[in-house]
Amino acid sequence: MKVIKRNGDRVEFDLNKIKLSIQKASKRVKAKKDRISREELNSICNEVSNKLSNNTRAIKADVIQDCIENTLIEHNAHEVVKEYICYRYLHKLARDSYSELMAEISNKLNGKDIQNQNANVDEASFGGRIGGAASLMDKRFALEFCMSDMARENHLNNEIYIHDLDSYAVGNHNCLSIPFDKLLAKGFNTRQTDVRPAGGVNTAFQLVAVIFQLQSLQQFGGVSATHLDWTMVPYVRKSFWKHYKDGSKYLTPHKKLPIIDNPIEVSIEDKVYTKNKKAYKYAVELLRKEVYQSVEAMYHNLNTLQSRSGNQLPFTSINYGTCTLVEGRMVTKALLEVSIEGLGSLRRTSIFPCGIFQYMKGVNDKPDTPNYDLYKLALKSTAQRLYPNYANVDWSGNAGYDRSDPKTYFSTMGCRTANGYDINGFGQLKDGRGNICPVTIILPTLAMEANRDTDAFLKLLDEKLFEAKDILIERFDRICSQSPDAAKFMYENGLMEGYIPEEGIRSALKHGTLAIGQIGLAETLQLLVGCDHTEEKGMELAKQIEQLYKTRCNEFKEKYKLNFGVYMTPAENLCYTSMKKFKEKYGVIPNVSDKDFFTNSMHVPVWKSMTPFEKIDIESQLTGYSSAGCITYVELDSACKDNLEALEAIVNYAMEKDIPYFAVNVPNDMCNKCGYTDVIDKECPVCGGTDIRRLRRVTGYLTGDYKTAFNYGKQQEVEMRVKHQ
């Protein structure tokens, strides 16, 4: 007799399998008197076999199970029947779940489910498809085997979102500010070889790209350089010394070469060099070309070197603009000029690295400061290329930084993530620290669960902040349990500061940030008080919410000696997925869920018309509550490139209002036929081409054409953005 399995395979009938399944059901019955004896078991099995033997055709598995249940009932084995039905039901759930998972994996592997969850990931590529399938498995494993019921329920209930769930089980961390000063000066080891210290600026910039890529494979988030202009000073000097020696040899062989024991300690403007005018002029000219070409090469590398299975570029950011030394100024100038020039034959706007100009009082903020000319150049680049963004070195949240140490200057990861004050001894040091893992509280869900009552909401939010803390500690402990061999490049070369091998990797990870984020503040205020924070009543409640975040994070930080911080979540994918779940449960609510996305963190809704100064005034009242990262944007039209004075006034105003991290969004459309870049309607005004790349900012970063790279929610958000005029 043949049996048709659920997958369609045909196998021989096996009575022993029936016997085994009934035995298991009987053993699960609590009272022994209700279990069946061995003799009764044999009798039941024989009856089942006899009933089924009348079938002349192959029997389906469900028919056999129905026969078993009926026979057990005939023998009054009611408790055994209950257990057998429960067993059957659970196995059905497992089969259905497995089938569902396999269907999802099939869609990912075949490129049939392109969701653009991360605008920097090419989900249609081989690497993207493999990664997407693996991500589904990793997320399922993390939810079912790696976390507490509390954490899982919060995630599934759309209350507390656990970011990068596919990286949870393996236990890697989020992002890192790389200590490039140390790596370039000392060299580093890789799996295959070791790399000598950089001998000049060309090599140094090449190694920056290499290190960015290597470290991006040790984690799931972004990597940054916190003060690249200062970092490159020694290597500019090394290159200058080489050129100077050549110039002296060929142009003035009769003159003695000066004795320079260590060129990195001597400014290229030192009189020891300037005495030989011919050699000096020759060296400076070659040096400028080398610096520019080195920067250009780094930009090309960071926009072409794929990582993580070949489906995305490393998320890279570079902070610069405060070095007043001639060498550092030369580097900053080249970084901005390459940004303005664009990449490739069409002079495309660079996607990576995310450029961040560090605005600093007395250094580059006013016409009489040494780097003001570079600030003006930065504004020109922003107006044309969206980068750089602006980091406020003197932000009140970075109080206590060492003005003589660029490693303590305020810097960011580009998307907005930042390192606050380290409670474990590093103070405001940024290098070698990063965001270890974030979670985000879905505020609108809590508002609905609190029946739109403000007091009930604040009470529930307080409970969720404690649960968010527990979720982060759970994950932090899992990350700390990993072997340093899992991220050998990072730990062997000291990229994460504070690592003591004898104490394990927790010795380094404890200096990082545990971020408690938020999404949908504007929609939450609508639910609770009928308006958002652009009105006084909404702002009053918004400040209560943010103060509660800040108070609890400070308490957690002191109690657990871990750097808990308030995070204004980027929510690139979450803005869409959390709204989708919200609408499924609560339906369409005017001014709340009548669109496909939640407003990111504490931002003013993108459709609100106001001046850039008004938007800055509103958001500046809330940015100070954040210690783990936030950003403020304004939307301008392309005309700002012809009015840099107005752009400067806006950036200055943001800095004066104590905004920590500021960005300007301008339309950046490019004709893929001729390279013309400006606002383009349907066709290029130069060549008539209709293949237009419409570049827009997704979080702090840029991506490709938003109509193909962004998820549906982000696409709608972009289209709803109004200009702040």
Side-chain angles (χ1 to χ4, degrees):
M1 183 169 51
K2 294 286 185 179
V3 176
I4 304 173
K5 297 176 69 176
R6 288 179 178 82
N7 63 3
D9 291 345
R10 293 176 179 245
V11 296
E12 289 295 329
F13 176 78
D14 187 348
L15 188 61
N16 286 327
K17 288 185 178 180
I18 294 174
K19 187 174 183 180
L20 185 61
S21 67
I22 297 173
Q23 274 183 325
K24 286 181 177 179
S26 181
K27 286 180 180 179
R28 284 194 295 272
V29 174
K30 292 182 179 180
K32 287 187 177 180
K33 65 181 181 64
D34 293 326
R35 297 174 185 171
I36 55 179
S37 65
R38 182 178 298 176
E39 292 77 14
E40 194 171 12
L41 174 63
N42 290 330
S43 174
I44 291 170
C45 290
N46 288 332
E47 284 186 37
V48 170
S49 179
N50 290 334
K51 290 176 182 177
L52 296 173
S53 63
N54 295 327
N55 290 277
T56 56
R57 296 182 177 180
I59 312 169
K60 291 184 177 180
D62 283 339
V63 173
I64 295 175
Q65 290 186 331
D66 289 343
C67 182
I68 293 170
E69 289 175 17
N70 291 332
T71 306
L72 286 169
I73 291 170
E74 290 168 6
H75 281 257
N76 294 317
H78 298 295
E79 296 302 317
V80 178
V81 170
K82 290 178 184 177
E83 290 297 333
Y84 184 83
I85 292 172
C86 180
Y87 165 84
R88 183 180 179 183
Y89 174 71
L90 290 174
H91 273 256
K92 182 180 185 302
L93 283 181
R95 284 193 307 273
D96 291 347
S97 179
Y98 177 79
S99 298
E100 179 186 341
L101 178 62
M102 288 300 106
E104 290 175 356
I105 287 175
S106 175
N107 284 338
K108 288 293 183 184
L109 289 174
N110 290 297
K112 294 180 179 178
D113 184 25
I114 307 299
Q115 296 183 10
N116 297 324
Q117 297 180 60
N118 184 323
N120 185 36
V121 176
D122 181 3
E123 292 187 14
S125 68
F126 288 130
R129 285 150 59 186
I130 293 170
S135 176
L136 289 171
M137 290 292 294
D138 292 339
K139 287 178 179 178
R140 180 73 66 90
F141 186 86
L143 283 168
E144 294 183 3
F145 300 106
C146 299
M147 64 184 66
S148 64
D149 291 342
M150 180 273 293
R152 182 188 313 108
E153 288 168 9
N154 268 298
H155 183 86
L156 295 177
N157 291 341
N158 207 35
E159 294 177 333
I160 303 177
Y161 181 79
I162 302 171
H163 287 268
D164 299 282
L165 200 59
D166 49 358
S167 294
Y168 193 114
V170 75
N172 59 354
H173 81 283
N174 185 10
C175 58
L176 188 70
S177 292
I178 297 174
F180 280 107
D181 295 8
K182 175 172 63 178
L183 291 170
L184 296 179
K186 295 182 178 180
F188 52 90
N189 295 320
T190 67
R191 182 180 177 187
Q192 292 84 5
T193 186
D194 65 287
V195 176
R196 296 188 298 273
V201 70
N202 186 14
T203 303
F205 271 110
Q206 287 185 50
L207 292 180
V208 165
V210 169
I211 293 166
F212 268 146
Q213 186 170 42
L214 287 170
Q215 179 56 30
S216 73
L217 299 172
Q218 314 282 294
Q219 55 181 61
F220 58 80
V223 282
S224 76
T226 66
H227 53 283
L228 192 58
D229 47 348
W230 289 95
T231 296
M232 287 295 162
V233 168
Y235 310 102
V236 173
R237 289 176 175 176
K238 281 186 176 184
S239 287
F240 176 83
W241 176 232
K242 292 177 184 177
H243 297 315
Y244 186 85
K245 285 191 294 184
D246 289 343
S248 297
K249 179 179 178 182
Y250 296 112
L251 298 175
T252 58
H254 56 283
K255 288 190 176 183
K256 279 189 176 182
L257 192 68
I259 298 172
I260 305 292
D261 294 328
N262 190 354
I264 68 172
E265 295 179 355
V266 183
S267 168
I268 66 172
E269 291 187 322
D270 193 283
K271 62 182 180 181
V272 72
Y273 292 130
T274 57
K275 284 180 182 179
N276 188 337
K277 293 181 180 179
K278 287 185 178 180
Y280 182 77
K281 183 179 178 182
Y282 171 85
V284 168
E285 186 177 336
L286 288 184
L287 179 65
R288 286 197 178 114
K289 289 180 181 178
E290 183 182 355
V291 170
Y292 184 90
Q293 290 170 351
S294 301
V295 168
E296 191 175 41
M298 181 194 71
Y299 268 77
H300 278 89
N301 282 332
L302 294 178
N303 283 276
T304 56
L305 292 174
Q306 301 285 332
S307 68
R308 296 173 183 162
S309 302
N311 65 354
Q312 64 175 285
L313 297 168
F315 279 83
T316 55
S317 302
I318 54 174
N319 295 260
Y320 55 83
T322 62
C323 185
T324 57
L325 301 174
V326 62
E327 299 88 353
R329 283 175 45 79
M330 192 179 293
V331 168
T332 295
K333 187 170 184 287
L335 289 168
L336 292 168
E337 287 175 341
V338 170
S339 174
I340 293 168
E341 182 70 12
L343 303 181
S345 59
L346 294 179
R347 304 301 176 188
R348 298 173 185 270
T349 296
S350 173
I351 302 298
F352 290 110
C354 173
I356 303 159
F357 189 87
Q358 291 169 297
Y359 182 100
M360 189 174 185
K361 291 177 181 177
V363 172
N364 51 36
D365 61 322
K366 294 178 180 178
D368 59 349
T369 54
N371 280 5
Y372 180 71
D373 59 328
L374 297 176
Y375 175 38
K376 296 287 282 188
L377 191 61
L379 293 168
K380 180 180 178 182
S381 179
T382 299
Q384 294 184 37
R385 303 295 188 179
L386 289 93
Y387 288 154
N389 304 334
Y390 297 86
N392 190 348
V393 174
D394 298 295
W395 175 49
S396 59
N398 200 46
Y401 80 90
D402 184 352
R403 201 170 174 89
S404 66
D405 184 1
K407 292 190 288 294
T408 68
Y409 293 0
F410 180 71
S411 61
T412 88
M413 298 288 172
C415 66
R416 71 195 60 193
T417 306
N419 292 310
Y421 186 86
D422 176 33
I423 197 170
N424 291 311
F426 285 161
Q428 294 290 16
L429 176 72
K430 311 304 178 190
D431 280 19
R433 298 176 57 211
N435 187 321
I436 305 306
C437 50
V439 297
T440 292
I441 298 176
I442 317 295
L443 296 176
T445 298
L446 304 193
M448 292 301 292
E449 291 302 302
N451 294 316
R452 302 174 71 166
D453 178 82
T454 299
D455 291 337
F457 166 80
L458 290 171
K459 182 180 179 182
L460 180 57
L461 174 60
D462 201 18
E463 293 173 7
K464 291 302 172 182
L465 285 166
F466 278 88
E467 290 180 5
K469 174 261 298 179
D470 291 338
I471 293 170
L472 285 173
I473 290 176
E474 242 181 57
R475 189 172 190 178
F476 180 75
D477 288 340
R478 184 175 185 88
I479 293 170
C480 289
S481 71
Q482 305 306 311
S483 166
D485 290 337
K488 196 167 184 178
F489 173 75
M490 179 169 66
Y491 289 112
E492 182 180 24
N493 294 295
L495 273 78
M496 190 173 281
E497 292 290 355
Y499 174 54
I500 302 172
E502 297 77 24
E503 296 182 11
I505 65 175
R506 189 185 185 97
S507 59
L509 290 162
K510 69 181 182 182
H511 300 291
T513 302
L514 301 180
I516 302 181
Q518 59 187 268
I519 189 173
L521 176 66
E523 289 82 3
T524 300
L525 297 173
Q526 286 282 0
L527 287 168
L528 297 175
V529 295
C531 65
D532 58 40
H533 47 309
T534 60
E535 297 182 32
E536 187 176 345
K537 184 168 62 172
M539 178 58 78
E540 184 181 346
L541 179 55
K543 289 180 177 178
Q544 280 186 264
I545 292 169
E546 300 306 338
Q547 184 59 55
L548 181 57
Y549 261 88
K550 185 175 181 178
T551 298
R552 290 298 180 231
C553 282
N554 287 343
E555 290 173 358
F556 300 154
K557 189 171 184 175
E558 288 294 331
K559 180 176 181 179
Y560 297 96
K561 300 303 176 189
L562 293 172
N563 295 306
F564 285 93
V566 182
Y567 188 41
M568 302 304 184
T569 309
E572 177 186 339
N573 184 50
L574 183 60
C575 75
Y576 172 62
T577 57
S578 60
M579 175 60 88
K580 190 175 178 181
K581 287 185 176 182
F582 184 92
K583 284 202 279 192
E584 287 172 358
K585 187 171 184 180
Y586 305 112
V588 175
I589 302 172
N591 297 320
V592 175
S593 55
D594 50 0
K595 54 190 184 309
D596 291 330
F597 63 93
F598 278 128
T599 300
N600 271 13
S601 62
M602 54 74 208
H603 289 316
V604 169
V606 296
W607 57 87
K608 290 279 185 175
S609 295
M610 60 185 64
T611 70
F613 302 102
E614 288 172 333
K615 187 171 192 289
I616 291 167
D617 282 339
I618 294 168
E619 294 194 4
S620 65
Q621 297 180 58
L622 302 176
T623 53
Y625 292 99
S626 174
S627 58
C630 63
I631 192 170
T632 288
Y633 308 108
V634 294
E635 297 281 335
L636 304 179
D637 59 34
S638 63
C640 73
K641 69 182 181 183
D642 299 318
N643 192 357
L644 296 184
E645 290 75 16
L647 178 58
E648 180 179 358
I650 293 170
V651 177
N652 286 348
Y653 190 77
M655 300 297 102
E656 289 166 10
K657 284 291 183 176
D658 204 32
I659 295 286
Y661 185 38
F662 184 69
V664 177
N665 290 346
V666 293
N668 188 286
D669 300 337
M670 188 199 78
C671 173
N672 284 319
K673 184 177 180 182
C674 72
Y676 173 78
T677 301
D678 206 325
V679 178
I680 303 175
D681 189 13
K682 293 182 179 179
E683 62 180 42
C684 175
V686 175
C687 71
T690 56
D691 182 10
I692 311 298
R693 181 181 80 159
R694 304 188 187 279
L695 187 66
R696 300 293 185 270
R697 193 186 306 276
V698 64
T699 56
Y701 291 107
L702 304 182
T703 63
D705 191 316
Y706 82 91
K707 292 190 174 182
T708 56
F710 291 10
N711 61 58
Y712 294 124
K714 271 295 173 190
Q715 287 183 38
Q716 188 187 62
E717 186 222 87
V718 169
E719 288 162 1
M720 290 180 70
R721 292 176 185 176
V722 299
K723 303 300 178 190
H724 300 121
Q725 298 175 343

